[in-house]
Amino acid sequence: MKACARGAVVAVTAAVAAVALAACGDSGGSDSGGGDHPRIGVLLPDSTTARWETNDRPMLNRQIKELCADCEVEHANAKNDVAIQQAQMESMIADGVDAILLVAVDSKALRPTVTKADQAGIPVIAYDRLAEGPISGYASFDGEEVGRLQGKALLRAMSDGAMGDRIVMMNGDPSDPNAVSFKKGALSELEGKVEISKAYDTRQWRTEVANMNMSGAISALGAGNIDGVYAANDGLAAGSISALKANKVDPLPPVTGQDAELGALRRILAGEQYMTVYKPFEPEASAGAALAVAAARGESLDRVAPDRVRTSTGGTVPAVLLTPITITVDTIDDTVVKDGVYTIQQICTPQLDAACARAGLT
Ligand code: GAL
């Protein structure tokens, strides 16, 4: 079926139908599954976490173009708003794109829209976060392993590793299935070994919410009574560390993170953050792009995705599940610098000169 006709069929409101018809009029649409100029919609969740716009978006774009020079890519960022993401996805469905790559703001809330795409014959590739509903493929990292790496590193960093060490847990947004996996993996390492004095879920992964929660934890527990902080990602680490500093906690307890953000690498060099988890962007984008291009061309996804993952609908779909890597001060050089994610010049501000020299970043 012609993609634009397909879009018009599923359009439920007059407004959406008008968009669909306008799109048909403009371009004549494209054939689903292997037509000229396959069109791929890329739906990113927010700009709160730097990776989506800084790493994933340009890399996905480049990788899709490398695999399919005549593919067209349409991006949208939902700015952390479920209704905006639903509308963005609806409009891509109405517009008759050939495949959608989705990082869901809220996997449950997006489920009906994923179902709508499926009914319109548009394959949805879940990217990084396992979206609910009838998805066709998945590209991501082993989320529980991320949590285990964070938990292990935190135990290592709380030097005495003594029973009874008290930690505060800053978990991510539970509507992101990854956040649930990170927490599960971390708890499998931490439970029974430390006392979890406070644990928070952080709505929309917001740095300022983590900051507020950490201030609350410090008031409740006392500044000197926090021996470690489990922060699920670098944004939450940043919010926690700024609250610890504002409350004059000195020395700072070890704090974990995730995403290898530039700010996190600088905090690690400055001795403020203990670690981050690096999920190499390039292979993930490459897997996402390969799945999206194959889906848009109507080709088999098994060929580009060796693993399988169980979805919310009960079946399994082709998946690529990559392995995350711990970064501490000693391994910045060997990971993100070696991979060309950041240059030493980008990471090493003048204030970090001595720290960078010690870490071999010269
Ligand atoms: C997760 C993702 C992390 C982090 C977080 C916040 O789903 O795997 O890398 O960015 O979202 O957006």
Side-chain angles (χ1 to χ4, degrees):
M1 191 201 267
K2 281 291 217 186
C4 61
R6 187 178 59 199
V9 170
V10 295
V12 284
T13 64
V16 176
V19 173
L21 292 172
C24 291
D26 279 355
S27 64
S30 61
D31 285 330
S32 63
D36 292 338
H37 301 298
R39 288 185 302 142
I40 296 171
V42 173
L43 290 163
L44 299 175
D46 60 72
S47 313
T48 310
T49 301
R51 58 167 293 179
W52 306 121
E53 287 295 326
T54 312
N55 307 99
D56 297 280
R57 178 176 172 143
M59 284 182 187
L60 282 165
N61 209 26
R62 185 168 38 75
Q63 303 260 18
I64 290 172
K65 291 283 188 191
E66 266 168 29
L67 291 170
C68 173
D70 61 353
C71 273
E72 286 168 27
V73 186
E74 289 170 35
H75 290 98
N77 186 310
K79 308 242 172 295
N80 247 330
D81 187 317
V82 172
I84 291 181
Q85 192 165 58
Q86 284 163 336
Q88 290 171 336
M89 192 158 167
E90 300 253 357
S91 123
M92 285 180 181
I93 296 169
D95 203 21
V97 296
D98 296 295
I100 291 175
L101 184 137
L102 168 68
V103 188
V105 171
D106 179 324
S107 52
K108 264 194 188 45
L110 262 296
R111 184 176 179 146
T113 325
V114 171
T115 304
K116 207 175 260 184
D118 181 56
Q119 283 162 356
I122 301 173
V124 177
I125 304 302
Y127 183 70
D128 198 81
R129 299 178 180 171
L130 188 58
E132 291 198 9
I135 57 165
S136 299
Y138 181 48
S140 192
F141 282 82
D142 177 342
E144 285 187 29
E145 178 64 7
V146 171
R148 284 193 293 271
L149 291 179
Q150 293 168 321
K152 277 185 202 147
L154 188 58
L155 291 178
R156 229 180 10 250
M158 292 190 299
S159 44
D160 46 10
M163 279 291 287
D165 269 352
R166 290 144 304 186
I167 68 156
V168 173
M169 269 194 117
M170 296 292 172
N171 297 300
D173 188 328
S175 66
D176 170 356
N178 282 347
V180 178
S181 303
F182 304 151
K183 184 173 173 177
K184 188 170 170 206
L187 285 175
S188 75
E189 294 293 335
L190 296 168
E191 264 175 344
K193 303 204 186 92
V194 290
E195 183 187 315
I196 300 169
S197 305
K198 289 264 174 209
Y200 302 89
D201 288 329
T202 316
R203 211 172 48 82
Q204 298 183 336
W205 290 94
R206 285 192 185 277
T207 301
E208 64 276 19
V209 173
N211 180 274
M212 223 180 57
N213 288 338
M214 183 52 81
S215 301
I218 295 166
S219 321
L221 304 170
N225 295 328
I226 299 170
D227 303 307
V229 177
Y230 168 85
N233 84 351
D234 290 335
L236 305 188
S240 304
I241 291 167
S242 58
L244 290 163
K245 284 165 73 175
N247 283 279
K248 313 252 177 307
V249 176
D250 185 22
L252 289 169
V255 180
T256 63
Q258 172 185 189
D259 284 340
E261 290 189 0
L262 189 53
L265 299 171
R266 290 179 179 155
R267 286 191 295 276
I268 290 172
L269 283 158
E272 295 180 350
Q273 182 172 329
Y274 178 63
M275 62 87 78
T276 184
V277 175
Y278 172 44
K279 300 190 293 189
F281 304 106
E282 201 75 50
E284 190 177 18
S286 158
L291 280 162
V293 167
R297 288 175 168 158
E299 295 170 359
S300 152
L301 301 189
D302 289 313
R303 209 176 39 83
V304 292
D307 308 318
R308 296 203 68 91
V309 77
R310 186 159 295 283
T311 70
S312 64
T313 57
T316 65
V317 294
V320 176
L321 288 176
L322 301 157
T323 306
I325 300 165
T326 296
I327 294 184
T328 59
V329 71
D330 302 319
T331 55
I332 295 175
D333 197 20
D334 217 28
T335 50
V336 279
V337 173
K338 187 166 141 231
D339 285 359
V341 181
Y342 309 105
T343 62
I344 292 175
Q345 288 68 29
Q346 274 173 308
I347 300 170
C348 293
T349 58
Q351 301 94 293
L352 291 173
D353 263 357
C356 281
R358 277 196 302 276
L361 297 173
T362 46

